[in-house]
Amino acid sequence: MHCAQTVVETCTKHGDLLDMFCVDCEENICITCVQQNHRSHDWNRKNKILDRLKSELADQCHLVRQKEIPSLQTEIQKIKRLKSDNEKEFAEEIEKISSHTEAAVMSLHKLSKDLVRHCELLKSLNEENLEEKKKEIETIVFQFECSLKGFEEEIKTSNLSELLQIKKKMISIPHPKNLNKEETTLQHINFTAGEIKENLLRSILGKVDQTSRSVTVSKLLDAKIGIKRFKYISPISQTHAWCREFRSSENVLIDITKGSKEMTCSFGEYQSAPIPEDIITLKNGDNIYTWHAGHCVMKISPSKLKDAETVDIKVTKLVDISPLFPVGICAPSDNRFLVSAIDTPAIKRDSFTKDQPQKSVVILLTEKGKIKKKFQYQNDNKTPLFIYPYRIAENTNGDICVIDLSGTNNGHLVVLSSSGRLKFQYRGTGPNKADFDPRGICCDSAGHILLGDCNNRRVHLLNEKGSFLTYLIKTDEELWSMSLFSTTLWIGGENGFVYVYHYQLNDP
């Protein structure tokens, strides 16, 4: 019997035993390799690395079994319920279509019966006229027959003188009046068929759309407030909103009851003053905005914006996030803010690729400007979440909804959970999907996400899962900014146009 000998590997560089393992480099190493090249790496003796990996994998399996699988099973049950709801909704809609079609057919039958009754009436009138004329002629014939019969009897026994008298009587008998031809002409019945048009029948029967049954909009205002496209539009009430045009130093307050500017606040010269990139108004009246060129988030007290037509305002610095440049901002509540930021200045449309940011983040701030959390990478902690996070909102689920620009004329939606986990992305829909260019975003109290598609000039309505529901609004203008305040939807367009809609959430 021969015993197998264990082969002991040694390092070809140093001659030491290869009894260590570097997890970062995924290679066997010796103690000298550790000291020279792997000190800052994740390394240890092979048996310890083996035990640790076994433990980690066991923990991961346990985590998947205890958390991930039940979560997925819950989703399966949810899908089953949705399938059942879908079947029920389908059956209900089919019943509605059948009932409506039956009602339309019954209406056609009623109209058909009315036409037949009208024909029967005309037929009856013809019959009455003809019968009356027939009786009239029969009376005349009877009178002729009686007169002729009397004359014929007299002729048989009359002499010459009497026959001459009979002849005179026959000549003197009144002849019946000539019958009017029109009175004995049949009045013809003529049916003229209506034209059967498919589009008319479709309009009668209705149509089937995949659309949201819970949202309706109606236009309140369509007014030209400025001359350029709007950088942002930020409502402070259902009737008033701040807005600023691109490359303007003026913050304009719009009053939709008047359809015009109510107040103008000047921020000074374009390059040097703390001009807003994006602005929000809190419930307490404070205005918070991102000063892109100054690397800061700024604050304006509401008392600075009253009792004047033009106000030179003073602002205070809430937080400096240098070296990052802040872009979009939203306020899930009065005590915290979400700010998107990049590591390069605002990108020009003609040099997006050359000046593309290398670092793009979303930052969670406290009301005092303290940074609580940053969201930068996807679930693998390596892949960036964003290229250029332009505008930001939070829905009722606590999800962070970010417009990410991926080119000069296109972008997509990135949605994160409150912990920063990537939930889904939306890249548009329909034949013009490649031109999807979201610029405005807001969320309603039902969890819907609204996206203003600049290139395609329409508002996309999504549910909280990211599924497309409908094009809520279609316009002739590019949509550059959007915001929702209670039941008022504000949209800033091209060439200084502002659109305001009443936004109604209906009961399901």
Side-chain angles (χ1 to χ4, degrees), residues 254-385:
I254 303 171
D255 179 359
I256 65 170
T257 61
K258 300 177 182 177
S260 61
K261 303 175 185 178
E262 182 175 287
M263 186 187 300
T264 301
C265 295
S266 175
F267 288 86
E269 296 299 322
Y270 175 72
Q271 294 294 338
S272 61
I275 300 173
E277 166 72 17
D278 195 13
I279 191 170
I280 52 174
T281 301
L282 305 183
K283 293 178 182 177
N284 63 7
D286 288 343
N287 289 271
I288 311 295
Y289 72 85
T290 52
W291 177 22
H292 186 86
H295 305 274
C296 296
V297 178
M298 312 296 287
K299 179 179 179 180
I300 311 171
S301 171
S303 60
K304 304 291 185 182
L305 304 175
K306 292 182 178 179
D307 304 322
E309 192 168 311
T310 301
V311 181
D312 292 322
I313 60 174
K314 293 181 180 180
V315 297
T316 57
K317 186 186 299 183
L318 188 65
V319 61
D320 189 325
I321 61 170
S322 297
L324 297 175
F325 297 82
V327 185
I329 186 170
C330 75
S333 65
D334 276 6
N335 60 0
R336 62 190 180 102
F337 316 103
L338 287 166
V339 175
S340 62
I342 55 179
D343 63 351
T344 58
I347 296 171
K348 296 179 181 179
R349 293 171 63 85
D350 58 356
S351 60
F352 185 94
T353 304
K354 181 176 66 176
D355 298 330
Q356 186 171 304
Q358 299 302 307
K359 182 178 181 181
S360 302
V361 300
V362 168
I363 303 170
L364 178 62
L365 298 173
T366 66
E367 61 182 326
K368 294 184 179 180
K370 182 179 178 180
I371 298 176
K372 290 192 68 177
K373 194 180 293 186
K374 290 184 180 180
F375 308 103
Q376 184 176 357
Y377 297 110
Q378 294 187 22
N379 305 339
D380 60 4
N381 293 321
K382 293 180 181 179
T383 308
L385 283 165

Side-chain angles (χ1 to χ4, degrees), residues 66-119:
Q66 296 297 317
K67 290 187 177 180
E68 298 296 333
I69 290 178
S71 175
L72 291 173
Q73 288 174 337
T74 300
E75 288 298 316
I76 290 172
Q77 293 302 317
K78 187 182 294 183
I79 289 171
K80 287 181 179 179
R81 289 195 299 272
L82 289 174
K83 287 179 68 177
S84 176
D85 292 344
N86 184 55
E87 184 64 31
K88 182 180 178 181
E89 184 173 307
F90 171 78
E92 289 175 351
E93 296 307 308
I94 292 298
E95 177 61 29
K96 289 179 185 176
I97 293 171
S98 299
S99 298
H100 184 68
T101 303
E102 186 177 344
V105 171
M106 288 178 66
S107 295
L108 286 173
H109 275 305
K110 180 180 179 300
L111 293 174
S112 175
K113 288 180 179 179
D114 289 344
L115 289 174
V116 170
R117 278 196 296 268
H118 187 59
C119 285

